[in-house]
Amino acid sequence: MKVNDIMAALEAKHPGENEYLQAVREVLESVEEVYNQHPEFEAAKIVERLVEPDRVFTFRVTWVDDKGQVQTNLGYRVQYNAALGAYKGGLRFHPAVNVSMLKFLGFEQIFKNSLTNLPLGGGKGGADFDPTGKSDAEVMRFCQAFMYELWRNIGPDQDSPAGDVGVGGREIGYMYGMYKKLAREHSTGALTGKAYGWGGSLIRPEATGFGAMYYVDRMVRQKGETMNGKTIALSGFGNVAWGAATKATELGAKVVALSGPDGVCELPNGIDKEMIDYMLVMRDSRRNKVQDMADKFPGKAIFTPGKKAWSVKCDIACPSAFQNEMNEEDAKMLIANKVQYVAEISNMGCQPAAIAAIQNAGIPFAPGKAVNAGGVSTSGLEISQNAGHINWTAAEVDQKLHKIMNDIYDMCVEYGKQADGSINYVKGANIAGFMRVAKAMLAQGIV
Ligand code: GLU
């Protein structure tokens, strides 16, 4: 395969789908050399098949708001690749959602899910619905209307969606209620991220953030250091940032920044338990304003409008909100402020030029598909518990999550070790994730 030829064909076929094209290029560039050592991959046209989703559903979602007005949104589910298991991946509710975004996220999901070593295929979905400022009743009506269209295409052995940006436990509850009613069966594995007590797993809400910090802890140890006393900047203040802040603090690190669409909150003394708990209140309010933290904790949180988390000096920077949230200028500012590690928790959180700047400065950089894989891993554990009618304790789930993250880290090192001894985590994650999928596709014939 020649990456440029494949990309030229894809660009012609999917003009303007920039996030999707960006994600595909990164993976293909990482795997090109290894791929070309496997003529059997080329003969089966593995890459040409892998870059296109198996199918994409697009549907109209119509619902009535609290004022009695009729609202229409677009809903989607991208079923990307099922070589390793039933399609698995989150649902994102955000006004910017479109096919290109969900194809990029679905494509990334294939390799992330492969890295977990669990039987999970790759998929993603969502809607251009904006949860900001919506009431509970509006969210419920939207979730029900969304599921009314999607329910036939999901199920534990078919496709199992979960949460993502804008979709948390509450939304999963509303969607599951409608799914159960329409399917006429309590088929818990059809959705993950359910609440504990009716099929949910303990630690699932924390899992993405916890898993990310387990991974970052290994990156830091790789350099002979520990997390103790390290300062961390996190972007966002949602579920992912909440889990990461909790675990980072537990590991002795100091969270010095959180951000939102309105600006950044600097936390000069780090974050305490009360502030971590307040992150959940802020998220549930659906106001989407990080300034609320500074209003609640004057002196402990200092708000600056319009600035990003990357303006705060830190040892470890973790984008944990949205794709492409760190640009080259942000990366240069972090480097000038002596950042030591950058680990994406959001999918594709850094722009390619930002990654290049960080890597060229010799700073370890790890990609979202490895760092944030703890979320979907714990979804896999949730499905196992559902299938076996068992409930593991929080400690049991946490221990399994920790082991999965350690294994992912080890694979990234194995496949990403460079001649000079440094580790290219991007290559490592892409090659390790890709090989498992490619071998499964090869074994399953031309389908
Ligand atoms: N949305 C999360 C992710 O990107 C979780 C997916 C899942 O649990 O299926 O991995």
Side-chain angles (χ1 to χ4, degrees):
M1 99 155 118
K2 285 207 179 71
V3 175
N4 285 339
D5 293 353
I6 306 240
M7 290 313 299
L10 273 188
E11 279 156 20
K13 224 190 284 182
H14 304 289
E17 295 191 11
N18 297 330
E19 290 176 334
Y20 155 69
L21 295 166
Q22 178 186 333
V24 173
R25 179 177 283 281
E26 186 206 276
V27 171
L28 297 193
E29 282 177 350
S30 289
V31 303
E32 185 172 23
E33 200 183 320
V34 179
Y35 188 90
N36 289 334
Q37 291 159 6
H38 288 268
E40 70 279 17
F41 289 169
E42 186 75 28
K45 294 275 184 285
I46 295 290
V47 149
E48 287 81 348
R49 290 157 57 199
L50 189 56
V51 295
E52 296 287 0
D54 289 352
R55 64 194 70 81
V56 180
F57 298 111
T58 305
F59 44 93
R60 174 176 55 76
V61 183
T62 294
W63 55 286
V64 179
D65 69 17
D66 287 348
K67 295 194 187 95
Q69 304 285 324
V70 177
Q71 301 285 347
T72 290
N73 289 96
L74 276 184
Y76 308 88
R77 185 71 182 166
V78 178
Q79 296 185 334
Y80 224 115
N81 185 289
L84 298 178
Y87 304 104
K88 182 87 197 89
L91 295 170
R92 177 173 290 195
F93 291 170
H94 188 279
V97 160
N98 58 30
V99 171
S100 167
M101 190 192 294
L102 296 179
K103 275 169 67 181
F104 123 61
L105 289 163
F107 186 72
E108 292 284 282
Q109 198 84 39
I110 303 170
F111 309 103
K112 177 195 324 199
N113 293 4
S114 168
L115 284 171
T116 69
N117 238 329
L118 298 170
L120 304 170
K124 202 86 186 189
D128 61 353
F129 171 76
D130 186 358
T132 312
K134 299 288 190 298
S135 71
D136 259 358
E138 287 176 321
V139 169
M140 182 177 76
R141 287 195 294 274
F142 177 79
C143 289
Q144 291 176 336
F146 182 88
M147 196 43 77
Y148 199 80
E149 274 299 320
L150 188 62
W151 75 277
R152 279 183 198 281
N153 300 310
I154 66 168
D157 296 318
Q158 189 180 173
D159 184 352
S160 174
D164 195 78
V165 175
V167 178
R170 172 172 27 203
E171 290 74 17
I172 292 293
Y174 294 147
M175 284 192 269
Y176 187 76
M178 194 58 164
Y179 171 80
K180 177 171 65 71
K181 186 179 172 77
L182 295 166
R184 305 242 173 148
E185 57 184 25
H186 212 308
S187 196
T188 39
L191 285 168
T192 64
K194 302 178 293 294
Y196 186 69
W198 53 272
S201 174
L202 292 170
I203 304 294
R204 178 64 190 86
E206 294 86 349
T208 308
F210 276 24
M213 286 304 123
Y214 292 145
Y215 193 99
V216 170
D217 182 52
R218 291 292 305 274
M219 291 174 78
V220 171
R221 283 175 196 276
Q222 189 85 29
K223 290 233 163 223
E225 300 185 315
T226 72
M227 294 283 272
N228 206 17
K230 289 253 180 290
T231 52
I232 304 196
L234 298 168
S235 57
F237 57 87
N239 189 57
V240 170
W242 164 76
T246 306
K247 185 55 77 179
T249 308
E250 203 181 297
L251 293 172
K254 194 167 136 187
V255 178
V256 291
L258 293 174
S259 65
D262 52 335
V264 66
C265 267
E266 198 172 334
L267 316 169
N269 301 317
I271 197 164
D272 58 30
K273 170 91 174 69
E274 213 188 333
M275 294 161 91
I276 290 175
D277 288 346
Y278 194 65
M279 288 171 80
L280 294 179
V281 176
M282 285 159 62
R283 188 198 61 189
D284 289 349
S285 76
R286 294 202 197 92
R287 282 168 46 79
N288 215 7
K289 286 196 167 39
V290 80
Q291 186 177 359
D292 291 352
M293 180 67 92
D295 292 346
K296 175 82 179 169
F297 300 98
K300 287 183 170 180
I302 300 146
F303 177 69
T304 311
K307 289 256 187 206
K308 296 189 194 175
W310 325 130
S311 61
V312 176
K313 181 175 164 47
C314 62
D315 300 321
I316 305 172
C318 293
S320 14
F322 217 62
Q323 68 268 18
N324 288 320
E325 54 178 310
M326 187 190 291
N327 61 30
E328 188 178 7
E329 203 185 311
D330 298 326
K332 287 191 170 151
M333 189 153 43
L334 283 167
I335 295 165
N337 278 334
K338 304 255 179 316
V339 73
Q340 295 168 28
Y341 305 88
V342 179
E344 286 177 340
I345 313 184
S346 44
N347 295 300
M348 214 164 79
C350 298
Q351 297 183 9
I355 301 176
I358 294 158
Q359 289 177 328
N360 291 340
I363 295 162
F365 170 84
K369 63 170 76 72
V371 179
N372 74 24
V376 75
S377 301
T378 309
S379 279
L381 300 177
E382 183 174 330
I383 292 174
S384 300
Q385 292 173 83
N386 294 158
H389 300 281
I390 40 172
N391 282 319
W392 287 321
T393 63
E396 283 171 319
V397 178
D398 198 14
Q399 196 182 19
K400 290 178 205 297
L401 166 65
H402 202 158
K403 178 172 186 323
I404 292 170
M405 294 312 297
N406 272 328
D407 291 347
I408 293 176
Y409 184 84
D410 289 338
M411 269 191 290
C412 292
V413 170
E414 185 187 331
Y415 286 93
K417 197 149 210 157
Q418 304 298 291
D420 63 0
S422 68
I423 294 146
N424 186 329
Y425 292 99
V426 175
K427 268 197 154 180
N430 284 333
I431 297 173
F434 176 84
M435 289 305 277
R436 196 169 159 236
V437 180
K439 286 179 186 164
M441 286 176 72
L442 201 61
Q444 291 167 20
I446 310 299
V447 285

